[in-house]
Amino acid sequence: EPTVRRYLRLRRETGDVEPKPLRGPPARKGAALEATLPAQARANPDLTLAEHCELFEETSGVRVSTATMSRAFERLGLPLKKRHS
């Protein structure tokens, strides 16, 4: 019931119940990863996630965790499969 009251009050005061814009600075890691990672993965297909993190930090100056790197690989559809020699 309190939520409905808040929505009704918000609609009365602003004319709609759209969510407010997100606060804080925009995310910079995701955009940097999307721009850099495909070429980095093609040029260095045998690197581990940790090594990709180090190389990414050297080239872009942005530090990312292995979890963030793993999610970026998955989101971009990039393979992390190593070649067998």
Side-chain angles (χ1 to χ4, degrees):
E1 193 175 312
T3 301
V4 173
R5 286 186 190 145
R6 278 194 301 275
Y7 282 136
L8 290 171
R9 181 177 48 79
L10 184 61
R11 184 167 178 167
R12 237 186 349 264
E13 292 173 359
T14 65
D16 63 15
V17 290
E18 292 295 316
K20 295 179 182 175
L22 296 177
R23 295 172 33 170
R28 62 187 184 121
K29 291 180 184 179
L33 279 167
E34 287 180 15
T36 306
L37 195 54
Q40 177 179 311
R42 277 192 305 277
N44 305 288
D46 290 331
L47 294 182
T48 64
L49 281 175
E51 291 168 333
H52 274 294
C53 290
E54 290 174 15
L55 181 58
F56 180 73
E57 184 177 2
E58 289 173 10
T59 58
S60 68
V62 178
R63 174 177 271 170
V64 296
S65 68
T66 55
T68 298
M69 185 63 69
S70 176
R71 286 189 300 268
F73 266 89
E74 189 172 328
R75 184 176 60 250
L76 295 171
L78 299 172
L80 193 58
K81 187 81 172 168
K82 305 294 177 259
R83 289 184 291 193
H84 295 285
S85 300

